[in-house]
Amino acid sequence: MLIFLALLYFCLATGAIWLALFPSGRAFVARGLFMIRQHLARRATGWQIAGSRYAGSVRDGLPGDLRGSVVRFVKRHRIACAVGVPAVLIPSLLALALSSPAMLPVYEGSTTLPDAQVAALLQGERLVPPVALPPGVFTTAEVEVVRPMLVNASRNWGLLHPDFSQRLLLAFKIMKEKHGYDMALLEGYRSPARQEELARAGSHVTNARAFQSWHQYGLAADCAFLRDGKLVISEKDPWAMRGYQLYGEVAESLGLTWGGRWKMMDFGHTELRVRGVMQR
C-alpha cells in the first residue's frame, strides 16, 4: 500500500511540475485530450474497429508520435528533468524509508517499573485525587512572583492520562506518608494555545512550543508543596528544596522523568514518556 501511494505521489507531482513549468506539457495534454475526443467521436463507426485499433496499439507499445514527443521533451529540457526528477523522487523514497517505526525518532521513557512492590501498588488500589484547593491558594503574592501565569492553569486530574495520574498520586502518597510533605498539583493538562502563550513569555518559562510538551498529552504535571495551607514553590527555601530532592527520587522510582535533572532545571515537573505519543 505504501509503495502504491509513493508511486502515485511521484506520478502526480511529476505531472503537476510538468504542467506548471512547461508550455509544451500543457500543449501535449491538450493534444491528447483532442485525440481522445476524436476517438470518442469515432465510436459511431462501430466498437469492432475501435477495438482492433486499440489492440494494435497495445501490441506495438506507445504510438510513434507519443514516443517521439516524450524523447524530444526530455532532450529539450535535460536540465529541468535532471533537477525535477530527483526533487520528486527523493521525498517519495524518504517517505518509504521512514514508514518503519524503527526509523522514527520517538521520545520515550521507561514504561516498566523497576520496583515490584510499586508495580503491585499501581495494579491494586486505585488512588483518588485530593480535594481541590481553593483558587486563592494559587493567586497569592508569593505564588505570583514565581508563577505569574498560574491562575489560568488546569488542575483537573480527569484530563491526565490514567497511568500517569496514578503514578503521580502514588508519589503524593509516598511523599506524605514517608517524608511528611503535602503536595499540590499546580498544572496538569496544558492546551496548545496555553503552551504557545508560555513559550512567548520567554525561554525562562519554557522552550517547548505547542505539542512539544508532554503537558499537551496529559502526561506531565507541575507540582509544589503545601505548608500551613500555603504553596511553597521557592527553591531558596531549604525545606522545599529538600522536598524537591525527595520528590525526584520518588518520581523516578515510579518510572517518571523528573525535571530536576535537566539543564534548565524544573524541580516540580514530572512526566511519563510513552512510546509513540510525541514525535519530532
Side-chain angles (χ1 to χ4, degrees):
M1 184 63 179
L2 289 173
I3 295 177
F4 171 76
L5 292 176
L7 291 175
L8 179 62
Y9 165 76
F10 172 76
C11 295
L12 293 176
T14 303
I17 293 174
W18 184 30
L19 292 176
L21 299 181
F22 304 107
S24 60
R26 294 191 290 272
F28 178 80
V29 172
R31 186 166 62 251
L33 294 175
F34 177 75
M35 292 174 63
I36 292 174
R37 187 172 61 182
Q38 283 187 324
H39 174 71
L40 293 177
R42 288 197 300 269
R43 284 192 306 174
T45 62
W47 285 103
Q48 185 176 1
I49 298 175
S52 63
R53 290 179 178 176
Y54 176 76
S57 65
V58 171
R59 287 194 303 271
D60 297 337
L62 288 172
D65 182 55
L66 181 57
R67 286 198 304 269
S69 298
V70 173
V71 172
R72 288 193 298 272
F73 173 80
V74 173
K75 289 183 178 179
R76 188 180 307 116
H77 304 289
R78 289 190 298 270
I79 298 177
C81 290
V83 175
V85 170
V88 174
L89 186 59
I90 289 174
S92 302
L93 295 177
L94 286 175
L96 285 174
L98 294 177
S99 62
S100 171
M103 299 290 292
L104 294 172
V106 179
Y107 289 78
E108 60 176 300
S110 173
T111 57
T112 59
L113 295 173
D115 192 319
Q117 182 180 4
V118 171
L121 288 172
L122 286 175
Q123 293 176 1
E125 178 187 3
R126 301 304 295 177
L127 300 175
V128 178
V131 177
L133 295 172
V137 173
F138 303 93
T139 58
T140 62
E142 295 83 1
V143 172
E144 286 287 337
V145 171
V146 184
R147 297 289 294 267
M149 304 176 72
L150 190 61
V151 62
N152 295 322
S154 170
R155 287 173 280 276
N156 186 347
W157 286 85
L159 297 179
L160 297 178
H161 188 284
D163 190 8
F164 173 65
S165 67
Q166 284 299 301
R167 298 187 193 212
L168 188 61
L169 287 170
L170 184 53
F172 277 26
K173 182 177 181 180
I174 295 173
M175 287 295 295
K176 172 62 175 178
E177 296 180 354
K178 186 176 181 179
H179 303 296
Y181 282 86
D182 285 314
M183 299 200 66
L185 176 65
L186 299 181
E187 182 169 15
Y189 170 77
R190 184 182 295 162
S191 69
R194 176 168 168 79
Q195 187 68 46
E196 285 292 328
E197 180 184 7
L198 294 176
R200 287 193 295 268
S203 59
H204 64 286
V205 178
T206 180
N207 288 319
R209 306 303 295 259
F211 297 109
Q212 293 179 349
S213 168
W214 292 98
H215 281 282
Q216 270 84 84
Y217 306 94
L219 289 165
D222 297 327
C223 303
F225 307 107
L226 277 171
R227 184 173 59 191
D228 300 327
K230 295 183 179 180
L231 284 176
V232 182
I233 305 177
S234 175
E235 299 160 10
K236 298 179 181 179
D237 187 303
W239 175 84
M241 196 60 210
R242 173 59 180 163
Y244 283 130
Q245 295 293 339
L246 294 171
Y247 177 58
E249 294 174 5
V250 172
E252 290 177 339
S253 74
L254 297 175
L256 301 177
T257 298
W258 178 48
R261 297 197 184 276
W262 297 346
K263 182 177 181 180
M264 181 180 171
M265 292 180 290
D266 191 352
F267 293 104
H269 178 95
T270 54
E271 58 191 35
L272 178 63
R273 298 182 176 184
V274 179
R275 176 183 290 273
V277 172
M278 183 164 58
Q279 302 173 359
R280 292 180 181 174

